[in-house]
Amino acid sequence: MLNSIKQMLGIGPKVDYAELVKNGAIILDVRSKGEFQGGHIKGSKNIPVDSLSSNLKQLKDKNKTIITCCASGMRSASAKNILKSNGYADVHNGGGWSSLQNRIR
């Protein structure tokens, strides 16, 4: 049970986000359009978490690595679960976008 909670929140073995991005990972920012316009990681894709399920067609390759991010990590955890339950194979919760940005530099 504890491992499931850790996994859901993206807590666990260290992930080299910079390496994932270098290898072509998609950064999926699941904040609202307004939040995204206020600042985001260059090159990231914005699909708000509340419309993610109906916009999965924008993420065509289910085998491509996806890193979710939001403001704090809660919405990105939900987005990770949505993607995993829809067959996306390699999804990571990157947490808050500003801290993720620092980890991929």
Side-chain angles (χ1 to χ4, degrees), residues 25-99:
I26 295 169
I27 298 174
L28 179 63
D29 191 320
V30 297
R31 296 176 298 149
S32 71
K33 299 268 184 228
E35 287 175 292
F36 185 78
Q37 289 170 348
H40 58 271
I41 297 172
K42 186 178 178 182
S44 60
K45 183 172 203 55
N46 179 227
I47 305 174
V49 70
D50 57 356
S51 64
L52 182 58
S53 293
S54 60
N55 284 288
L56 292 173
K57 60 189 172 293
Q58 291 185 43
L59 303 167
K60 294 172 181 63
D61 185 353
K62 290 189 175 189
N63 293 310
K64 188 153 182 89
T65 301
I66 299 173
I67 304 167
T68 61
C69 66
C70 62
S72 67
M74 294 306 289
R75 287 177 283 180
S76 56
S78 295
K80 176 184 175 180
N81 290 334
I82 290 167
L83 292 169
K84 294 294 269 180
S85 68
N86 280 280
Y88 290 83
D90 191 14
V91 185
H92 302 271
N93 178 3
W97 77 273
S98 57
S99 63

